[in-house]
Each structure stands twice: as structure tokens, then as C-alpha cells.
Amino acid sequence: MSTEPLKVLIVGAGFGGLTAAIECRKKGFSVILFEGNKTRRQLGDIISFGSNSGRIFRSWPGVEEKLDPLCHHSDGLDFRTYDDEFLCRQTWGAEADWGKRFNGTEHRCHRGEIHEVCWNHALEVGVDIRLGSKVQEYFETDTEAGVVVNGERIAGDVVLASDGVRSLARTIVLGFEDKPKSSGYAVYRAWMPTDGLKKNPSTAWLANPDKDLWVLTHKDEANVEESWSAPGYVEEAIKAIPDWAPICHDIIRATPEGCLVDWKLVFRDPLPTWISPKRRIALIGDAAHPFLPTSIQGASQSMEDGVTAAVCLELAGKQNVQEAIRVYEKIRYPRVLATQRTGVTNRDAWHKADFDYVRKNPESVKLPRLDWVLNFDCEKHAYDVYQETAEFLKENPGWEPDRTL
């Protein structure tokens, strides 16, 4: 048995990649994290992490304490019709009670601020983050896997590809390039200063001290391209909701130029596999399983991927990386697929609502708070089921995941 530490190459410094890198460093692995951007970019707007990923943040010393003052803490949601008729309020109690129930705190904050905290923690635990490192190619043999970065060939024991919805690694895993599909919807998203909201009496009560967010899902029939984020325009957003309550129009009109994007919601059919032919490269996060935002679990499931992959590599050891990669896929695939389904059912409940039915049954639009999703310890689960999963795969070498979405 080699006494050298496992060398893990990770591509993509989103939440899945950072989590995988942090967890691998915790286990003593040598980790290089490649990020194509030349700087850490403060991308995005608000993002939500469930309590299942909250317990991961809690396991990283000091991280939860740094996130708490940044995050928005609320005790519920109001549901109204498009013309402002109140339907119901969904509450989940004080944040402390919610965290106690699921053993993890939920976090809602600007994506860039949470990302910065995680990024800094990765550096603190010794992750070698290489900015400006655009991966041009993946390769693997029976004994190693690696990447070509800026013309340099870099090899390791395993590659965890967290390179997002436009994943290059997906091509080596599948053997072909798969194209995204339109979901039939897009989302106007604005993260903006609150000055305009404060000036209007109808919206002043909505204004937070500094920044606010609004999101509007609308039907979209345009062709899908690999770049599906475009500038949004106030008048076009208003045209999408001509009969909505005036306050909705006022919120949109308070949006400064340049603060609005139109984000196409796309998806891909579940992949037949997340691992490469020689089982040295594994997809994690959006590279493996893009989520509809109505699941409210995309980032959380990416983090679960990173933790599970690290546990599997630890238990398998340097000599059994290929076993670890197969076990990782077998553990994660069914859970991820089941969670993806919640995005579809939530979307249909909200965007295809029969309002006559909803008025009589307002509970039907409430956000499902599923114990099996939120009260889940992915690290403990991976430790608990690793051995039996490895034995199952040895006895069933032709196992393939059920891909029924």
C-alpha cells in the first residue's frame, strides 16, 4: 500500500467543488482546485441552502458563525395570487427551533457573500486554488487521471469535475456532447439597491436597509443556447405580467438599469452515469445533475456530493480509487434523482396552479418541507453504507442507475 497521500484534482470552484476540496483536505489528501476565472467573482443574487447542507457548514470551524450575520432570517412565506389576493401564510417557527428539528441551520444570503466565506475556509485548510486555470482537456488511464490546463498536463489519482452546467468533463463521461433542453420557463432576477423602493409609498415597506431581490418566473419559448443568461429590461418584464397587482409593476420599475437579468431555466435528462469509463473521473454538482430552482436544493445537493465523494475516497484508499468512484455514484444517484423530482412537482404546483382549487385548498401551494431531504446527514450516511454498497457492486458489476425522472 502506498504511503503517499491521495492526490485529488478538482475542477470548478463553485459550492460543490469547494466542498469536495475542503472535505478532501480534512482527510489529509493533496488537493488542487482549478478555477477558470482569473479572480473570485461575486456572482449571482440570493441563494438558499437547506439544513442538510447547513450541517456541513457547521462542521467547518468558524464558518457558520461567519455566515450568520450575512444571512436573511425569516419565519415564513406569504402566498398571494398574481392580483394580490392573500391565500395563506406558511410558517416554520423560530430559526432556532427549525435548526433543532433538522440539526442544521438554513442559510439564505447573496451567493457571492456565502461563496467568499467558503472560499476563504478552503484556503485556510490548505486547498491549492489555482485561478486562471481553464481546463482544456481531461484524460485518464487505469492508474491515473488528470487535466490539461493552459497547455500543462497535470495528473492525479482522481478528478472530481464540478465544472457546472456547461461541463467539459461530461463529454468524456458520456462519450458525446449532450445539449440542454428548455424547461419552458425563464426567470427575471434583480439584485438591486433599495433607493427606488424607498421612494414609493407602495413599496417602501419591502425595502431592506441596503439591497433587495425580486424574482419573476415567466414562460419562455426561445431556443436554448449554451449561454442562457441575458440582460433583462424593465419594460419587457412588465409586459410579462400585464394584469398583475400594481405593486408588482412598481417593484420592477424601481429596478436600476443593469441590475436585471433574464435567466433561462434549462435542464438535461438524467445522465446514464456520472463516472468515466476507467472510473477515475467523477462528475459532481451541476455537471452531474442540474436542478430546477423550484427544488431549492441545487447547491445543497452539490455540497452533499462533495462530502460523499471525500468519504468514499477515504474509505477506499489510494489503491481502490475506482471502487470509491463507483460507490459514490451508487450512493448519490437515487437521492439526487428523488430530490430533482421535487423541483418538478413544486414548479407544477406553483406555475400551473388552478386558482379555484387553490382558494379552496390553500395548503396545496405551501412549500414542502420534507424530512428525508432536510434532515439528512450525508457524511454519516456515506460511512454507514459504504461497505455494503461496495459489496453490492462487486456482486452486480453491470448495475446501472434508474433514470426515471
Side-chain angles (χ1 to χ4, degrees):
M1 297 288 289
S2 172
T3 58
E4 296 180 5
L6 194 72
K7 184 175 182 180
V8 182
L9 307 183
I10 299 172
V11 181
F15 289 104
L18 284 173
T19 300
I22 291 167
E23 293 295 316
C24 284
R25 280 298 301 144
K26 283 169 57 177
K27 299 177 189 331
F29 305 158
S30 169
V31 179
I32 304 175
L33 176 56
F34 301 99
E35 170 55 47
N37 293 306
K38 294 181 180 179
T39 60
R40 192 200 71 80
R41 297 192 293 171
Q42 196 89 344
L43 293 174
D45 43 57
I46 199 166
I47 190 170
S48 294
F49 291 85
S51 51
N52 52 317
S53 52
R55 68 170 70 224
I56 300 172
F57 289 135
R58 182 172 295 172
S59 73
W60 300 344
V63 166
E64 188 174 56
E65 292 78 6
K66 293 174 183 175
L67 291 178
D68 186 66
L70 301 175
C71 289
H72 170 65
H73 303 286
S74 67
D75 63 355
L77 295 168
D78 283 348
F79 289 88
R80 295 178 176 270
T81 62
Y82 67 94
D83 54 356
D84 208 23
E85 176 187 348
F86 178 78
L87 294 172
C88 63
R89 177 166 177 78
Q90 179 177 7
T91 59
W92 41 73
E95 192 78 20
D97 294 337
W98 189 253
K100 183 177 180 180
R101 175 184 170 193
F102 290 116
N103 293 315
T105 301
E106 293 194 321
H107 297 84
R108 292 173 293 277
C109 181
H110 189 281
R111 181 192 183 279
E113 294 181 342
I114 293 186
H115 187 264
E116 183 177 22
V117 172
C118 297
W119 177 283
N120 290 337
H121 186 69
L123 293 174
E124 289 169 6
V125 299
V127 176
D128 179 4
I129 302 179
R130 301 187 183 182
L131 288 163
S133 297
K134 183 72 173 178
V135 171
Q136 300 158 310
E137 182 182 339
Y138 289 81
F139 64 87
E140 66 173 343
T141 69
D142 288 327
T143 58
E144 66 177 11
V147 292
V148 176
V149 178
N150 302 331
E152 180 184 2
R153 184 180 174 93
I154 303 171
D157 295 300
V158 62
V159 175
L160 301 178
S162 185
D163 49 354
V165 289
R166 291 178 283 277
S167 170
L168 174 63
R170 190 190 287 109
T171 302
I172 193 172
V173 166
L174 297 178
F176 62 89
E177 181 181 1
D178 68 325
K179 296 291 186 181
K181 298 180 179 181
S182 173
S183 68
Y185 295 94
V187 178
Y188 287 115
R189 307 179 67 133
W191 178 257
M192 64 189 194
T194 57
D195 298 351
L197 294 173
K198 292 174 180 176
K199 292 176 182 177
N200 188 334
S202 76
T203 57
W205 64 279
L206 291 168
N208 283 314
D210 183 25
K211 294 278 191 177
D212 249 320
L213 167 84
W214 63 264
V215 178
L216 169 65
T217 303
H218 63 98
K219 290 187 176 180
D220 173 69
E221 305 299 337
N223 291 330
V224 177
E225 298 179 359
E226 277 298 310
S227 178
W228 52 76
S229 177
Y233 300 98
V234 166
E235 293 305 319
E236 292 299 316
I238 289 175
K239 286 179 183 178
I241 54 170
D243 300 323
W244 285 34
I247 189 174
C248 297
H249 293 184
D250 290 343
I251 292 168
I252 295 173
R253 292 194 186 281
T255 306
E257 184 178 354
C259 291
L260 180 61
V261 298
D262 191 12
W263 187 270
K264 186 182 295 292
L265 298 182
V266 301
F267 71 98
R268 286 181 167 90
D269 290 328
L271 301 182
T273 182
W274 298 348
I275 60 179
S276 59
K278 295 186 182 297
R279 300 172 184 169
R280 290 273 174 178
I281 301 172
L283 304 177
I284 66 175
D286 283 349
H289 45 73
F291 268 70
L292 292 173
T294 41
S295 70
I296 320 179
Q297 271 289 306
S300 295
Q301 292 301 312
S302 295
M303 292 182 69
E304 286 190 8
D305 286 351
V307 171
T308 302
V311 170
C312 291
L313 289 168
E314 177 193 30
L315 295 179
K318 192 178 181 75
Q319 306 305 317
N320 294 299
V321 166
Q322 290 154 307
E323 174 189 279
I325 293 306
R326 282 206 81 202
V327 173
Y328 153 76
E329 180 187 47
K330 177 68 171 65
I331 291 174
R332 290 296 299 152
Y333 202 109
R335 174 169 168 79
V336 166
L337 191 65
T339 311
Q340 284 178 302
R341 292 189 189 111
T342 68
V344 177
T345 54
N346 289 348
R347 178 195 65 186
D348 290 348
W350 293 334
H351 301 316
K352 299 179 181 180
D354 177 341
F355 280 101
D356 289 334
Y357 175 82
V358 170
R359 288 184 178 97
K360 296 175 183 176
N361 303 277
E363 300 288 316
S364 65
V365 295
K366 287 187 175 181
L367 176 65
R369 311 305 285 165
L370 304 170
D371 277 39
W372 67 266
V373 174
L374 297 170
N375 193 18
F376 184 75
D377 186 334
C378 61
E379 182 177 47
K380 181 179 184 301
H381 179 71
Y383 280 122
D384 287 347
V385 304
Y386 182 91
Q387 194 57 45
E388 66 183 73
T389 305
E391 291 172 0
F392 171 86
L393 291 172
K394 288 176 183 176
E395 296 170 0
N396 300 273
W399 173 84
E400 294 182 356
D402 176 8
R403 296 189 284 151
T404 306
L405 185 59

